[in-house]
Amino acid sequence: MTWFLRRIGVSVILIWIVASIVFLAIRMVPGDPAEILLSQGGIAPDPSLVAEIHSQLGLDKPLPVQYADRFVGLFRGDLGESLTDGTPVASEIMRRLPRTLELIAVSAVLALIFGIPAGLIAANHPGGWLDRLSGWMSALGLSVPIFVVGTLLVLVFSQTLGLVPAGGYVPLWPDPARHFMLMAMPAFTIALGLFPIIFRMTRASVLEVLQRDFVRTATAKGLSHGAIMSRHVLRNALMPVVTVLGLQLGTLLGGTVLVEYVFNFPGLSGLMVDAVNARDYPFVEGVVLVIAILFVLINLGVDLIYGVLDPRVRRS
Amino acid sequence: MQLTRRSLIAAGIALPCLGTTRGFAAGKDTLTFGLSAYPGAFSVWGQVGTAATTVKLMTHRGLLSFDHKGEIQPEIAESFARVDDAGWTFKLRDAVFHDGRPVTSADVKWSFEQVALDNSTAYYRAVMQGVKAIETPDARTVTIVMKEPLSTLPLILAMPHMMIVPKDTVFERSTLPMGAGPYKLVRQERGVALDFERFDKFYKPGLPKMPKLRMVAYADETLRVSALKSGDVDLIEYVPWQAMAEIEADKKFKLETTLGPFMYLTFNGQSGPFADKRVRQAVAYGVKRDDIVKSAFFGRGGLLEGMPLAKESPFYDPATANHFAFDPAKAKALLAEAGHPNGFACKLLSNAQYGMHRSTAEVVQQSLAAIGIQAELNLPDYATYTTLGNRGQYDMAVVGNTADYNDPDGLASLIDGTLPVSFVRSFKLDVPEIHALLAEGRRTFEPEARKAVYKKLETAFLDQVPLAPLAWREQGYAMKTAVDGFVNLPSQLTFFSGMTLETTAIA
């Protein structure tokens, strides 16, 4: 329990540090939100109007006051409002976050569905045709940039074959067919990047476990290969796979930017890019804060899954 | 093959993925438009970019507007006339706002008064602060009396930044207020899309033609083109130049382009070598514009070697149109005359976010190196670029823009150095002669007299080089061939082409 509470405390401090760094960093980057707002379309930003907007948005206050205001708001659970159009940050994040989470989840499932069996088979038949094929696919997935994959998919499946829309998003209800059609290409693109990691880790881990004494003992006892694999090997081999997947999911939260951009997918990452471009401080801070919290939660989740997979972790 | 429950479910899931689903735009009664961005802000009187203007033109109308040929046409005002040098009278038609209230002279007066407020962020605040009185003798009549004669007032009132809203409107920043335009905004999802429905009481019989309109934002230009090609949308704005030839060659689509917006260089006139007009002239002679047209616009543009006036303009003079034709020898001579026989080093600001800005800067850098000016590129993101430009933290800067309207006075916002500092103008490069001639042009009504004034303005422009003209660029809209009635408004008015969505239909 103490360990758990200490983990929570460290996580809160970590989140506060991240939020503070983002607060300072976004303000150190040149680019004034008021000027950007007034400069869109080439309008002449009269200095008096810039000052007026500064005053309306509280940007004329000293930095420490802005910092204090911001963190008092955060402690009250208020993420603030957009500087450009006044939209509440929290509600917009709550609208966008589930989309990105769904995209990541579907991608992860796709990567696991293909990655774990491929890794298992490859480890069981090292050097075989499936091992080689998976190896090539894995190398391809790792080396081809995500935006190249995305653009190629749009070119082939949308423009040439006309099978799926080029990009966009519709909610699951009332149009589930279109929802999944729009989800397919971005999810596949992310999964293609995730697959090599899952595949390689599974393959290496299974190969390593297969060398262990308890596998030899089980074989000597006459257990079938399938039983050994499912009861002993897989259970032990999946530990590092879960670790890597956990880390990757956290990274993907902030790393779906390009995919969301290429497929015009209105998720959390795209929201952050727009906010950075507009120097919309509350939105940038809000999104980073949410990603940081989720990252911490995912890591906690990974620790819990460790406990399920390996009882020794629970005992320790 | 045995039909099982499992196989039925699998078939059901796979069904939407089978066969062609080409043509993803919404139903036949809906026109889907691919915006170049989701509007950063909603402002009926502000100039907040092309996408915001297109959206605003769906829901709002002003007293006047531009027709398909770019000529001024009556809009909420069914007629207008000049009563004297400073006064104009407008007779309103039987128009109603989306809630059914009639548009009255009181609404017009209130709208223009809001534009003129000291804390207003309206684009034409300064113009409306030049109003002496707005008289409303009856509900259908408005007389605007200016402090000074203003021949360009109808042009300004036709701009989509002078919309009429109901008196005492309370504004919210996240959405458009109510207007009297052809469509009603029924739904919006921030950053994604806006849905409109036809306003049945719009004052133009039979318009708008399409019952529904959906505007979807595609910030990435490649995806915008893909969306058109795959049938997700019917019509797109801001066609990327590299895609124009391919779209033109495809019989399924049509491309409407106009030469209107243009690229130019601004200068820091406060200090440094560019405070000297001879150095600015040297730059104007020293840039190889043909390379800009080829590299930044894939040949879809034209050389701009004089004051930026369209060939169709009555003020266009072919004799001076090529004044700054590429002449490196002349450029070097001017530099030597200005005391820089061996050239100098300077900073050239552009941005990496827009390829055309970056490519233009690279050509300028190479050209100027040949005459001795070593320009160090600064290519930040667009937000940083505008801030550095507004603060004059550059020696030279690449800008892409257009005049406000197809009249020499439309260039005022780009060449009048007495206006507040802005990245679209040279920094603190105040040429009193240019300011005076622009003011004189506004006071002059008689067409031949205006020509004489603007000829003098052109002479001053070519001598002082308040900006160095570089290249015209084609500005395009692409659409399915079935889309009919949409017109790319000519030349500098291109960004207001959303106006013609009221006459657009899918055949």
Side-chain angles (χ1 to χ4, degrees), chain B residues 181-257:
Chain B
Y183 284 99
K184 291 192 283 189
L185 179 62
V186 291
R187 204 175 305 110
Q188 68 184 96
E189 184 181 345
R190 189 184 191 273
V192 182
L194 302 111
D195 288 290
F196 302 87
E197 279 177 9
R198 177 159 59 199
F199 177 42
D200 291 331
K201 291 179 183 166
F202 187 50
Y203 49 80
K204 293 181 187 172
L207 298 184
K209 287 193 172 172
M210 292 299 290
K212 291 179 183 174
L213 176 66
R214 180 167 171 78
M215 291 187 155
V216 186
Y218 293 90
D220 181 73
E221 58 188 25
T222 309
L223 189 64
R224 199 157 60 246
V225 173
S226 298
L228 177 72
K229 286 185 176 174
S230 61
D232 291 11
V233 299
D234 302 304
L235 170 62
I236 59 168
E237 64 179 9
Y238 249 105
V239 179
W241 295 274
Q242 64 270 25
M244 283 185 176
E246 194 187 342
I247 289 173
E248 220 164 25
D250 193 330
K251 287 180 182 171
K252 294 193 291 294
F253 307 108
K254 53 187 177 181
L255 179 72
E256 295 251 355
T257 66

Side-chain angles (χ1 to χ4, degrees), chain A residues 40 95 99 159 163 264, chain B residues 21 47 125 173 189 217 226:
Chain A
Q40 286 182 42
R95 192 162 62 86
R99 297 173 188 175
Q159 286 191 31
L163 289 173
N264 212 38
Chain B
T21 46
Q47 156 60 300
R125 181 183 66 157
R173 286 194 293 151
E189 184 181 345
S226 298

Side-chain angles (χ1 to χ4, degrees), chain A residues 124-136:
Chain A
N124 274 304
H125 307 282
W129 70 270
L130 200 66
D131 186 22
R132 292 204 302 274
L133 179 70
S134 303
W136 292 335

Side-chain angles (χ1 to χ4, degrees), chain A residues 30-32 35 39-40 43-44 46 49 83 85 87 95 99 159-160 162-163 166 178 261-262 264 266 279, chain B residues 21-22 24 47-48 120 123 125 173-174 189-190 192 217-218 220 223 226 229 232 381 383-384 387 390 425:
Chain A
D32 180 327
E35 278 186 31
S39 295
Q40 286 182 42
I43 190 175
D46 187 321
L49 295 182
L83 295 184
D85 65 5
T87 305
R95 192 162 62 86
R99 297 173 188 175
Q159 286 191 31
T160 309
L163 289 173
R178 192 170 166 81
Y261 192 74
V262 168
N264 212 38
R279 302 293 190 269
Chain B
T21 46
R22 185 174 287 283
F24 292 100
Q47 156 60 300
V48 281
S120 140
Y123 191 58
R125 181 183 66 157
R173 286 194 293 151
S174 59
E189 184 181 345
R190 189 184 191 273
V192 182
Y218 293 90
D220 181 73
L223 189 64
S226 298
K229 286 185 176 174
D232 291 11
D381 69 332
T384 306
T387 300
N390 290 335
R425 302 186 269 281

Side-chain angles (χ1 to χ4, degrees), chain B residues 108-109 112-113 128 131-136 142-145:
Chain B
V108 176
K109 184 173 191 288
F112 291 163
E113 283 171 351
M128 284 293 108
V131 170
K132 188 176 168 187
I134 300 176
E135 294 155 8
T136 54
V142 180
T143 298
I144 299 174
V145 183

Side-chain angles (χ1 to χ4, degrees), chain A residues 29-32 35-49 52-54 56-57 81-87 92 95-96 99 151 154-155 158-171 177-178 181-182 260-266 271 274 276-280 283, chain B residues 16-25 38-42 46-50 118-123 125 172-175 189-192 214 216-223 225-227 229-230 232 246 353 381-384 386-388 390-391 401 413-414 419-425:
Chain A
V29 177
D32 180 327
E35 278 186 31
I36 294 162
L37 191 63
L38 290 179
S39 295
Q40 286 182 42
I43 190 175
D46 187 321
S48 65
L49 295 182
E52 174 75 25
I53 290 185
H54 277 171
Q56 285 172 16
L57 302 177
E81 291 179 348
S82 161
L83 295 184
T84 56
D85 65 5
T87 305
E92 188 62 20
R95 192 162 62 86
R96 298 264 195 142
R99 297 173 188 175
T151 308
V154 170
L155 182 70
S158 295
Q159 286 191 31
T160 309
L161 299 175
L163 289 173
V164 284
Y169 174 85
V170 295
R178 192 170 166 81
M181 275 202 286
L182 286 165
E260 291 193 1
Y261 192 74
V262 168
F263 293 102
N264 212 38
F265 188 88
L271 180 68
D274 292 341
V276 170
N277 282 338
R279 302 293 190 269
D280 200 335
F283 258 117
Chain B
C17 306
L18 292 175
T20 181
T21 46
R22 185 174 287 283
F24 292 100
Y38 191 84
F42 291 94
Q47 156 60 300
V48 281
T50 309
D118 280 341
N119 63 352
S120 140
T121 54
Y123 191 58
R125 181 183 66 157
E172 287 176 28
R173 286 194 293 151
S174 59
T175 190
E189 184 181 345
R190 189 184 191 273
V192 182
R214 180 167 171 78
V216 186
Y218 293 90
D220 181 73
E221 58 188 25
T222 309
L223 189 64
V225 173
S226 298
K229 286 185 176 174
S230 61
D232 291 11
E246 194 187 342
Q353 205 160 322
D381 69 332
Y382 195 74
T384 306
T386 55
T387 300
L388 295 178
N390 290 335
R391 292 176 186 170
N401 210 322
S413 61
L414 311 183
L419 295 172
V421 292
S422 166
F423 75 102
V424 300
R425 302 186 269 281

